[in-house]
């Protein structure tokens, strides 16, 4: 046993035990000098390889990386961050992860950040207030992030407008922050007009609207655009029906809409509410699309599997996330805050849930 525990010539010592135990012990002890010794290079060369700097031949880079892997060496990211003046981390503040839009936007941000070599630190905020936002920025400062993306999908409860700490590289997604910050959003109004125009072109006299919750920026913009599109077309907007983004709320609203004899077309503010609406219409004997046409918003992956497959407005969440990351990186590199709103286009996806109205 004692012989087995003695150091082997020309390499790190072995401590016995399982391979996993030995690897863990090596990782705890391994230093840059150990890697340099094993690879037969200088510590400076190891530093250049671990930091991704040029000036190292590919063969030497491979040898150093192989030594790192064998020793279980991990570069000191904190020291490297202090030296470079950046942490390669983007903070994300969001108020809820219960909506399709927020989850898919967050996923897109994380994917885009990883592609640029950045990690993401997520900080959910329980209550949408200005104080909570300030507290979230303070906590992200302690966690050492380089920039912040705020997914601002709902109105603040205690402030008319969002106010963010100065001198912070920040991009706001899904908000009406306007020219005060860099804002990235889906073209909510354009997508809504496409939905309404599609239904009117099929011959429907008017279009009912199943709206999202009142505190949502996206719901507000879609409802405003729906109303404006009907007025511009010379049609009378029916009473607005309100949901909360969930399929259950769509079902409840659908039971009421099924009783409206003049309702031949419904624009739902998201696909989940459209799903509940389809169920309610089916239970009440109103056929889709023969009696009532239904169109949604989002184009979730399951939209084509609804019965019938759902006509909807496609949101490019991947592009929203990419532009959010692009915005904060541009601010970091140019050391200047951005201003104004970038709108990501939508597109109508026609399927089988819309058709001309029933003949009278």
């Amino acid at each position: 046993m004692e012989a087995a525990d003695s150091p082997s010539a020309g390499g790190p010592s072995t401590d016995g035990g399982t391979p996993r135990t030995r690897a863990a012990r090596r990782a705890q002890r391994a230093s840059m000098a150990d890697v340099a010794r094993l690879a037969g290079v200088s510590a400076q060369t190891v530093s250049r390889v671990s930091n991704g700097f040029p000036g190292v031949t590919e063969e030497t880079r491979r040898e150093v990386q192989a030594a790192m892997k064998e020793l279980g060496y991990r570069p000191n990211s904190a020291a490297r961050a202090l030296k470079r003046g950046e942490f390669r981390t983007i903070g994300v503040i969001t108020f809820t992860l219960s909506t399709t839009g927020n989850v898919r936007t967050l996923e897109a941000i994380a994917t885009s950040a990883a592609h640029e070599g950045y990690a993401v630190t997520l900080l959910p905020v329980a209550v949408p207030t200005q104080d909570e936002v300030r507290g979230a920025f303070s906590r992200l400062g302690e966690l050492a992030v380089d920039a912040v993306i705020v997914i601002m999908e709902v109105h603040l409860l205690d402030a008319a407008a969002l106010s963010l700490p100065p001198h912070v590289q920040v991009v706001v997604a899904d908000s009406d922050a306007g020219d005060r910050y860099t804002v990235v959003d889906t073209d909510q109004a354009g997508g809504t007009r496409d939905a309404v125009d599609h239904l009117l072109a099929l011959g429907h006299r008017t279009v009912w609207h199943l709206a999202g919750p009142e505190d949502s920026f996206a719901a507000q913009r879609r409802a405003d655009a729906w109303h404006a599109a009907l007025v511009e077309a010379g049609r009378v907007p029916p009473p607005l029906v309100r949901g909360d983004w969930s399929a259950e709320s769509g079902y409840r609203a659908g039971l009421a809409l099924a009783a409206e004899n003049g309702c031949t077309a419904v624009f739902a503010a998201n696909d989940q509410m459209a799903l509940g609406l389809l169920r309610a219409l089916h239970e009440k004997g109103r056929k889709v699309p023969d009696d009532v046409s239904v169109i949604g918003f989002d184009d979730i992956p399951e939209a084509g599997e609804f019965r019938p497959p759902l006509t909807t407005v496609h949101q490019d969440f991947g592009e929203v996330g990419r532009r959010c990351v692009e915005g904060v990186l541009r601010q970091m590199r140019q050391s200047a805050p951005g201003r104004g709103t970038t709108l990501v286009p939508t597109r109508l996806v026609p399927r089988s849930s819309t058709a001309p109205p029933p003949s009278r």
Side-chain angles (χ1 to χ4, degrees), residues 47-67:
S47 176
R48 298 184 72 84
V49 171
S50 64
N51 286 287
F53 291 156
V56 180
T57 66
E58 189 58 34
E59 181 180 358
T60 299
R61 189 180 303 276
R62 285 197 300 268
E63 290 176 352
V64 171
Q65 290 172 339

Side-chain angles (χ1 to χ4, degrees), residues 181-192:
Y181 305 104
T182 298
V183 178
V184 178
D185 195 9
T186 294
D187 186 3
Q188 313 285 354
T192 297

Side-chain angles (χ1 to χ4, degrees), residues 196 200 204-211 223 226-231 234-242 257 260 262-267:
V196 173
L200 295 181
H204 296 274
R205 286 185 175 181
T206 191
V207 179
W208 292 67
H209 182 42
L210 173 51
W226 158 79
H227 189 277
L230 288 178
V231 171
R235 311 300 171 91
V236 178
L240 182 144
V241 181
R242 185 75 66 178
L257 289 171
E260 297 285 348
C263 177
T264 65
V266 181
F267 164 50

Side-chain angles (χ1 to χ4, degrees), residues 290-307:
D290 297 344
D291 300 323
V292 182
S293 287
V294 175
I295 188 168
F297 204 109
D298 283 342
D299 193 24
I300 62 175
E302 300 82 9
E305 308 305 320
F306 287 7
R307 182 180 294 183

Side-chain angles (χ1 to χ4, degrees), residues 145-161:
V145 301
D146 300 302
V148 178
I149 297 172
V150 183
I151 303 177
M152 188 75 186
E153 197 267 333
V154 296
H155 295 273
L156 293 177
L157 299 177
D158 62 346

